[in-house]
Amino acid sequence: MNLAGLFVTAPITFLAIVSLLVLLYEAVSKNSEGGSFWLSVLGLAVCAILSLSSIDLTGTVYAMVNVGGVGSVFSALFAVAALITIVLSRDYLRNRGAGFGEFYLLVLFATIGMMLMATAADLIMIFLGLELMSICLYVLAGFMRFRQLSNESSLKYFLLGAFATGFLLFGIALLYGASGTTNLAEILGKYQALTTSSLFWIGAGLFLVGLSFKIGAVPFHMWIPDVYQGTPTTATGFMATGAKAAAFSAFVIFFARPEFATSEKLKLVLALLSAASMILGNIIAISQNNIKRMLAYSSIAHAGYMLAGLAACNMLGKEGVIFYLISYTFMNLGAFGVLSLIEENEEKNLTYDDYAGFGVSRPWLAALMAIFMFGLSGIPPFAGFFAKYYVFLAAIQGNLTWLAIVGVLMSLVSVYYYLRLVMVMYFRDGQKSSDKHISVPALVVLGLAAMLVIEIGVNPSSVLSILNNLY
């Protein structure tokens, strides 16, 4: 431990200090919710700035943490996602009698876990980050402890996470047994010698399965829709974006390497996971009437789209996945954010029919939701279009044209259930919606998310230029 190391890992170090200050404030103050909220918001804003300012740094500190590069991009993305989640959660929790500062604290600690995964230079660091993130998310899922569905989702997510941890840790143990190290650079440096080791490939396979649970890929998706439905809506958005991006960051760190480009079997496994996720996620999403469950199944489909970029095992695929994660975070967080503002107690206003006439009664929120739905469906000029374009182009360049065709066909299927919500909002009459007050900060963060979805779609080079400089 030295001052230089603390400086280059400033985003993680700073957010850890902020989290401990919030924890201390919660312990000593009776009315701590307001102070914890503002301290968390300011801390995450500074953390995002520190992460972006460290992009040009290179190297490894403590032999465990990478600095700069892709890790800084992911760290900034996690900080922004957490910031949006906390801002949207304040009124949501207060309206349900659960306005406790511990919610913000759990989001902060989960964000630190995500950042550790994205900047990991060692398999042990990936595991520690995953566990820190997961334990916080288990509690967030059951935060509405007086609701049966929330308790159920917490238990199911815990059991799902326990399986994932078991596979992941056993895989890490076998990788260590085959290579004699848990350092990622050293393992990949020995790749040619390890290709003939069955122990190495079994370990890599178990490691892949553990991460597949976290991204919700088929067939490891089993309780994901139930978990999303019972979890507080703002926390659901955080799970669907931040947690998924963290797991994909570990995929990028380990599997999106030139060493694996020659492994046709690995490409085939990733391609099959991708195709199964796209097909099942989109087809089952069609039959959903609950919008949270629809978004849950669509998140499985989006995991499939991103896996297509990883299966390509080329540079465009790696950049495409990161571009997709950035776009997806703002689109999906925005969609869950609008949903949280409209949702009533006892899980009301969560079906398609509840949004009838919404374009007239709440035109601004309807316009925001329409932007997010257009983006998620991949309609130009929104960010989702170019996100899918890059991963499908990478698949074609990686000789996986059939996978790109499956992706395009499933994207056409997704248009139905996304635009169905837009149609209901603007072309069906409904009862007058409630006049529930919506806070200015919530509208501001949703507006900024919508602007970014449009900006990234109209000017994708604004993100791609950053990613190109990283490699």
Side-chain angles (χ1 to χ4, degrees):
M1 181 70 70
N2 54 59
L3 291 178
L6 289 174
F7 175 75
V8 296
T9 57
I12 298 176
T13 306
F14 177 79
L15 192 59
I17 293 172
V18 170
S19 301
L20 293 175
L21 288 176
V22 174
L23 178 63
L24 181 63
Y25 185 67
E26 284 291 323
V28 301
S29 176
K30 291 184 178 179
N31 300 312
S32 58
E33 188 270 338
S36 296
F37 172 80
W38 287 111
L39 188 57
S40 301
V41 168
L42 292 174
L44 287 167
V46 174
C47 179
I49 294 170
L50 289 173
S51 298
L52 291 174
S53 65
S54 65
I55 286 179
D56 295 331
L57 297 177
T58 57
T60 303
V61 293
Y62 315 131
M64 287 278 189
V65 179
N66 291 317
V67 294
V70 175
S72 292
V73 173
F74 275 117
S75 295
L77 181 64
F78 300 147
V80 173
L83 175 60
I84 294 173
T85 300
I86 286 177
V87 172
L88 292 172
S89 297
R90 193 179 195 190
D91 288 343
Y92 180 87
L93 295 173
R94 283 179 169 180
N95 293 336
R96 286 154 183 78
F100 306 116
E102 287 83 0
F103 185 95
Y104 313 134
L105 185 62
L106 289 166
V107 172
L108 291 176
F109 278 122
T111 305
I112 295 172
M114 296 171 188
M115 294 169 70
L116 290 175
M117 290 181 69
T119 58
D122 193 284
L123 293 174
I124 299 300
M125 191 59 67
I126 291 178
F127 171 70
L128 291 175
L130 180 73
E131 284 305 287
L132 178 57
M133 174 190 77
S134 299
I135 291 171
C136 295
L137 293 181
Y138 302 153
V139 183
L140 286 174
F143 200 77
M144 301 291 188
R145 57 186 183 277
F146 45 82
R147 281 172 41 194
Q148 182 177 348
L149 268 181
S150 187
N151 291 320
E152 179 186 340
S153 68
S154 181
L155 178 60
K156 286 183 174 180
Y157 199 42
F158 169 74
L159 293 175
L160 196 68
F163 276 104
T165 299
F167 281 108
L168 188 86
L169 199 54
F170 194 20
I172 289 175
L174 294 182
L175 289 170
Y176 174 75
S179 63
T181 180
T182 56
N183 185 274
L184 287 166
E186 293 181 17
I187 292 174
L188 294 170
K190 300 177 181 178
Y191 177 78
Q192 291 301 325
L194 292 172
T195 52
T196 57
S197 170
S198 299
L199 197 64
F200 172 77
W201 286 112
I202 294 172
L206 290 172
F207 188 74
L208 187 149
V209 169
L211 293 179
S212 296
F213 271 107
K214 288 300 177 183
I215 65 173
V218 174
F220 312 107
H221 67 288
M222 294 304 176
W223 280 336
I224 292 294
D226 294 342
V227 171
Y228 282 18
Q229 183 178 2
T231 300
T233 302
T234 53
T236 304
F238 189 55
M239 284 181 189
T241 54
K244 192 183 292 290
F248 266 108
S249 71
F251 263 112
V252 170
I253 288 171
F254 189 77
F255 291 106
R257 297 292 190 103
E259 293 85 354
F260 284 104
T262 58
S263 176
E264 293 299 324
K265 291 183 179 179
L266 176 63
K267 290 177 66 174
L268 180 60
V269 169
L270 291 172
L272 291 176
L273 286 174
S274 170
S277 301
M278 289 188 289
I279 292 170
L280 185 140
N282 280 306
I283 290 178
I284 298 185
I286 293 176
S287 63
Q288 303 302 311
N289 192 46
N290 183 290
I291 297 176
K292 283 180 77 172
R293 292 188 70 87
M294 178 273 284
L295 290 173
Y297 279 106
S298 80
S299 76
I300 296 171
H302 284 286
Y305 299 137
M306 287 180 266
L307 282 172
L310 287 177
C313 288
N314 53 32
M315 189 58 66
L316 180 60
K318 183 189 293 188
E319 293 180 1
V321 169
I322 299 172
F323 183 93
Y324 202 119
L325 285 168
I326 294 171
S327 305
Y328 174 77
T329 295
F330 294 116
M331 294 185 296
N332 219 37
L333 262 182
F336 277 109
V338 175
L339 202 62
S340 71
L341 297 179
I342 304 307
E343 181 184 351
E344 299 286 353
N345 291 332
E346 305 301 326
E347 299 183 349
K348 296 178 180 177
N349 283 2
L350 288 178
T351 66
Y352 281 93
D353 292 337
D354 294 325
Y355 278 72
F358 201 58
V360 175
S361 59
R362 287 296 182 93
W364 287 106
L365 288 179
L368 289 172
M369 182 62 100
I371 290 172
F372 298 132
M373 291 298 105
F374 285 135
L376 289 168
S377 61
I379 294 176
F382 301 97
F385 171 77
F386 281 103
K388 292 180 179 179
Y389 170 78
Y390 290 125
V391 294
F392 294 158
L393 182 60
I396 293 172
Q397 291 185 2
N399 297 320
L400 293 171
T401 305
W402 67 270
L403 185 61
I405 293 173
V406 171
V408 171
L409 292 176
M410 289 300 103
S411 294
L412 292 176
V413 172
S414 73
V415 171
Y416 170 78
Y417 57 80
Y418 286 130
L419 296 196
R420 176 187 171 194
L421 181 58
V422 178
M423 182 275 295
V424 168
M425 289 192 299
Y426 285 99
F427 297 102
R428 279 181 51 184
D429 295 328
Q431 296 179 350
K432 186 179 184 298
S433 66
S434 66
D435 295 325
K436 184 171 63 174
H437 172 71
I438 297 174
S439 66
V440 173
L443 286 176
V444 169
V445 295
L446 286 177
L448 289 174
M451 289 174 60
L452 286 170
V453 169
I454 297 172
E455 165 62 20
I456 296 173
V458 173
N459 185 24
S461 60
S462 59
V463 174
L464 289 174
S465 60
I466 298 174
L467 298 180
N468 289 333
N469 292 333
L470 298 180
Y471 300 106

